[in-house]
């Protein structure tokens, strides 16, 4: 079975034309700590903090701010995210710094008088912005778990913004791809650092002086440096000029929330993940329990049965997501029932090993094709045994594309993660209903799935990825690859991925994820297979039974990412 997985991998690597399947390039071993992020500069920042004696949580704060400068498409100070934490003494916690709907938001704010959904407004421009959570989140994280001074954690980001960073080829190309969209949302502004007169080239220096000043205010005044004073003034004036609805009161009210971690059992492992308002933890635990029930390991990686069963599980889990999941502060999410064995035995009981079920029979919906969007995930472990998995986002690439004039940072477009009208899909093709309807101060449902795996009371994995709705299934597949198919850490990350989500009733596959015979067999069963260039971008840490800490970046999908251990 592993032989087959390996040959698929080799083909994938040859096709992508990179030597990154040479494990030495992507893997990093460390005994004192490990940092894996989407950008090597941010990984260096995190590793430096650990070397200076900071713990995993200090490093996470420094990485979050560094990513806001070196990886502006997803790293952020005006987005939000989730952190899943395991402390060295084996305790768990999670931090919800997800954005909120502004006070002036209302259920039908993206529906016109004839009842048509105005999806664009939830995705672009000032009305798409949720009240940002990242800065308050980092302050809370530092207050509770930090061990070195706050000022030190901001300094690397400030230096990057002030001295400039050399653009990688990937970042230069991404900025160029979004040039017109950024220009459209920022017309008339003087200093938009994310576009210039000509196209960006690899090696160009990106200076962000306005962002540097904003970061200095946060360094000096912590929370108040963002939600009050000059930054708040600039942010609110930007919002008002663009007819947005966020007010000073929204900024003042914003509070990140500590939530009890969602813990589920899968084989002899504990899965520690994010509870609502992320759907990630519930969906992941449902999927893993389903995989266990169907003994996926008996079928072989990339077999017809492997992909068929995963798809059938995902169909049911994403249908549950659409109906039952939303912000628990506003909607009574039946969490324990959804992950209970009794419920799942019943829920998965109609899955047939050789017959496809039909999503359209459950509920119909017109659905967009899922494109590639960016969020970012990073995983950090320190020598004491503390670990943190953070997934953070502006939602779309460069968020709503609006840069706060004079403050140099991009705003999120997270409002699109609400269900703007029952059955109307968002940009990830996800549908929802009442549980995820817009209400003032409510958090929009997320798929972000920062996760920690423990076995026999020991830390085993810290993992997560961007990818919108594909986040859950990517994390699922990485755990399955390790636990069911016994892949090595880097094989888990490199292995081709597939994705399905109830609606649309399709299976997305990465290049060469399946051979022609398997593809034909799946199609004969009625599965519709759609090729997709890449799914997810994992940033994983694995702790081996012998204590080796292995960091795995997803460099075959994103070559700027890096694992650094020491
Ligand atoms: O919270 C969510 O589920 C989405 N806003 C995440 C967006 C995302 O992952 C985009 N990236 N690839």
């Amino acid at each position: 079975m592993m032989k087959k997985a390996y040959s698929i991998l080799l083909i994938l690597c040859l096709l992508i034309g990179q030597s990154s399947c040479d494990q030495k390039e992507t893997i990093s071993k460390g005994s004192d700590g490990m940092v894996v992020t989407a950008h090597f500069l941010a990984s260096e920042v995190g590793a430096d903090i650990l070397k200076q004696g900071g713990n995993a949580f200090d490093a996470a704060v420094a990485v979050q701010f560094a990513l806001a400068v070196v990886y502006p498409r997803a790293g952020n100070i005006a987005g939000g995210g989730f952190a899943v934490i395991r402390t060295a003494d084996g305790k768990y916690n999670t931090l919800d710094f997800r954005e909120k709907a502004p006070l002036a938001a209302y259920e039908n704010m993206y529906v016109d008088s004839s009842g048509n959904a105005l999806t664009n407004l939830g995705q672009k421009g000032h009305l798409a912005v949720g009240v940002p959570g990242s800065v308050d989140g980092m302050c809370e994280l530092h207050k509770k778990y930090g061990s070195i001074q706050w000022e030190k954690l901001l300094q690397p980001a400030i230096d990057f913004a002030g001295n400039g960073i050399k653009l990688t080829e990937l970042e230069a190309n991404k900025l160029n791809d979004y040039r017109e969209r950024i220009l459209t949302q920022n017309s008339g502004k003087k200093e938009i650092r994310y576009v210039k007169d000509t196209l960006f080239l690899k090696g160009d220096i990106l200076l962000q002086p306005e962002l540097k000043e904003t970061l200095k205010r946060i360094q000096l005044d912590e929370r108040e440096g963002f939600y009050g004073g000059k930054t708040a003034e600039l942010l609110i004036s930007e919002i008002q000029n663009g007819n947005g609805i966020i007010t000073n009161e929204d900024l003042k009210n914003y509070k990140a929330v500590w939530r009890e971690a969602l813990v589920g059992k899968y084989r002899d492992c504990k899965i520690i993940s994010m509870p609502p308002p992320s759907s990630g933890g519930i969906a992941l635990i449902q999927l893993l329990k389903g995989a266990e029930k169907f003994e996926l390991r008996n079928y072989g990686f990339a077999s017809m049965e492997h992909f068929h069963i995963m798809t059938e599980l995902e169909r049911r889990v994403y249908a549950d997501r659409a109906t039952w999941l939303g912000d628990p502060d506003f909607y009574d999410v039946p969490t324990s029932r959804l992950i209970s064995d009794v419920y799942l035995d019943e829920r998965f009981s109609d899955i047939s090993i050789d017959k496809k079920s039909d999503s359209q029979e459950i509920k119909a919906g017109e659905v967009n094709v899922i494109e590639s969007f960016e969020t970012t995930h990073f995983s950090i472990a320190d020598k004491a045994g503390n670990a943190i998995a953070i997934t953070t986002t502006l939602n779309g690439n460069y968020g709503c594309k609006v840069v706060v004039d004079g403050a140099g940072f991009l705003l999120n477009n997270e409002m699109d993660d609400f269900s703007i009208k029952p059955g109307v899909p968002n940009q990830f093709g996800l549908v929802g209903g009442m549980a995820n309807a817009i209400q003032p101060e409510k958090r929009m449902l997320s798929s972000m799935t920062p996760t920690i795996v423990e076995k026999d009371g020991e830390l085993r994995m810290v993992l997560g990825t961007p990818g919108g709705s594909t986040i859950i299934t990517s994390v699922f597949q990485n755990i399955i690859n390790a636990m069911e198919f016994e892949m090595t850490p880097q094989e888990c990350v490199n292995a081709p991925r597939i994705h399905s989500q109830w609606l649309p009733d399709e299976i997305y596959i990465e290049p060469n994820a399946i051979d022609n015979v398997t593809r034909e067999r799946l199609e004969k069963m009625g599965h519709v297979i759609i090729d997709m260039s890449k799914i997810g971008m994992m940033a994983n840490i694995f702790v081996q039974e012998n204590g080796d800490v292995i960091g795995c970046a997803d460099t075959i999908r994103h070559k700027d990412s890096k694992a650094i251990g020491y």
Side-chain angles (χ1 to χ4, degrees), residues 98 373-375 393 395 414 417 428 446-448 466-468 471:
R98 180 71 161 166
F373 297 92
E374 298 294 350
T375 287
T393 190
N395 198 16
E414 219 73 56
D417 274 347
F428 303 110
S446 172
S447 300
M448 293 190 279
I471 292 175

Side-chain angles (χ1 to χ4, degrees), residues 108-290:
N108 288 326
M109 65 186 277
Y110 304 118
V111 179
D112 71 14
S113 51
S114 320
N116 303 310
L118 306 167
T119 17
N120 247 346
L121 287 181
Q123 292 172 6
K124 287 188 202 133
H126 300 73
L127 210 54
V129 188
V131 184
S134 292
V135 174
D136 193 57
M138 291 307 104
C139 291
E140 283 298 312
L141 181 60
H142 182 254
K143 237 192 301 173
K144 194 169 179 79
Y145 293 111
S147 71
I148 62 178
Q149 300 100 304
W150 173 256
E151 298 77 44
K152 276 197 181 161
L153 306 179
L154 269 289
Q155 199 54 47
I158 293 172
D159 293 342
F160 285 142
N163 303 336
I165 51 151
K166 244 191 206 168
L167 286 180
T168 64
E169 189 180 2
L170 278 182
E171 201 57 51
N173 290 345
K174 193 62 86 178
L175 284 166
N176 294 338
D177 286 351
Y178 281 80
R179 177 189 163 81
E180 293 313 316
R181 279 168 272 188
I182 294 173
L183 279 173
T184 307
Q185 294 299 337
N186 293 286
S187 62
K189 290 180 196 162
K190 273 206 306 284
E191 303 291 2
I192 299 306
R193 305 294 170 177
Y194 306 123
V195 288
K196 60 173 195 163
D197 294 343
T198 56
L199 292 182
F200 284 110
L201 295 173
K202 174 185 174 186
D204 279 356
I205 303 293
L206 179 69
L207 280 164
Q208 300 174 76
E210 297 81 15
L211 179 55
K212 175 186 168 190
E213 293 309 314
T214 300
L215 290 166
K216 278 170 70 181
R217 291 192 288 274
I218 298 170
Q219 185 184 42
L220 193 67
D221 287 333
E222 303 189 16
R223 188 199 137 84
E224 198 48 26
F226 183 84
Y227 296 92
K230 180 156 183 203
T231 313
E233 232 172 73
L234 292 167
L235 202 166
I236 296 301
S237 117
E238 174 66 53
I239 292 282
Q240 283 171 354
N241 291 340
N243 296 322
I245 54 174
I246 294 178
T247 62
N248 266 311
E249 201 183 347
D250 284 310
L251 297 183
K252 269 201 200 87
N253 285 358
Y254 186 86
K255 273 317 285 162
V257 183
W258 291 102
R259 298 190 191 273
E260 194 179 326
L262 187 69
V263 182
K265 207 171 156 318
Y266 151 69
R267 295 206 183 273
D268 48 1
C269 296
K270 258 190 191 170
I271 307 297
I272 301 133
S273 195
M274 196 64 215
S278 180
S279 60
I282 290 180
L284 177 66
I285 290 168
Q286 290 184 311
L287 289 169
L288 286 169
K289 287 192 169 193

Side-chain angles (χ1 to χ4, degrees), residues 74 82 98-99 277-279 321 371-376 391-397 413-414 416-417 426-428 430 444-448 465-471 536:
F82 301 110
R98 180 71 161 166
E99 300 93 325
S278 180
S279 60
R321 181 194 191 279
E371 291 174 35
S372 162
F373 297 92
E374 298 294 350
T375 287
T376 193
T391 314
T392 180
T393 190
L394 288 167
N395 198 16
N397 266 316
N413 59 345
E414 219 73 56
D416 185 56
D417 274 347
N426 74 355
Q427 62 182 315
F428 303 110
L430 293 167
M444 51 300 276
L445 186 62
S446 172
S447 300
M448 293 190 279
T465 178
S469 54
T470 69
I471 292 175

Side-chain angles (χ1 to χ4, degrees), residues 423-493:
V424 171
N426 74 355
Q427 62 182 315
F428 303 110
L430 293 167
V431 291
M434 267 325 288
N436 190 31
I438 302 174
Q439 281 176 260
E441 299 215 283
K442 187 175 175 182
R443 285 165 155 91
M444 51 300 276
L445 186 62
S446 172
S447 300
M448 293 190 279
T449 315
T451 297
I452 288 176
V453 179
E454 200 184 74
K455 194 173 161 193
D456 303 326
E458 301 285 339
L459 179 65
R460 282 282 166 263
M461 288 181 172
V462 187
L463 72 168
T465 178
S469 54
T470 69
I471 292 175
I472 299 166
T473 53
S474 296
V475 173
F476 171 50
Q477 286 169 90
N478 269 253
I479 298 177
I480 290 291
N481 290 348
M483 302 297 176
E484 302 287 327
F485 301 120
E486 295 171 359
M487 292 188 191
T488 66
Q490 195 67 49
E491 286 169 355
C492 290
V493 172

Side-chain angles (χ1 to χ4, degrees), residues 279-319:
S279 60
I282 290 180
L284 177 66
I285 290 168
Q286 290 184 311
L287 289 169
L288 286 169
K289 287 192 169 193
E292 187 177 0
K293 184 175 154 62
F294 282 89
E295 292 287 353
L296 264 191
R297 61 175 55 172
N298 292 341
Y299 296 107
F301 179 79
S303 61
M304 186 275 283
E305 291 84 357
H306 171 201
F307 288 163
H308 167 69
I309 293 169
M310 279 202 327
T311 303
E312 292 297 326
L313 294 171
E314 287 160 4
R315 195 189 309 290
R316 287 155 182 81
V317 164
Y318 277 81

Side-chain angles (χ1 to χ4, degrees), residues 375-426:
T375 287
T376 193
H377 176 86
F378 54 96
S379 295
I380 302 180
D382 65 22
K383 64 177 174 201
N386 297 303
I388 181 161
I390 289 194
T391 314
T392 180
T393 190
L394 288 167
N395 198 16
N397 266 316
Y398 308 103
C400 69
K401 327 295 183 248
V402 174
V403 180
V404 174
D405 205 9
F409 59 88
L410 285 151
L411 294 169
N412 68 78
N413 59 345
E414 219 73 56
M415 290 296 282
D416 185 56
D417 274 347
F418 277 116
S419 165
I420 65 168
K421 189 182 166 189
V424 171
N426 74 355

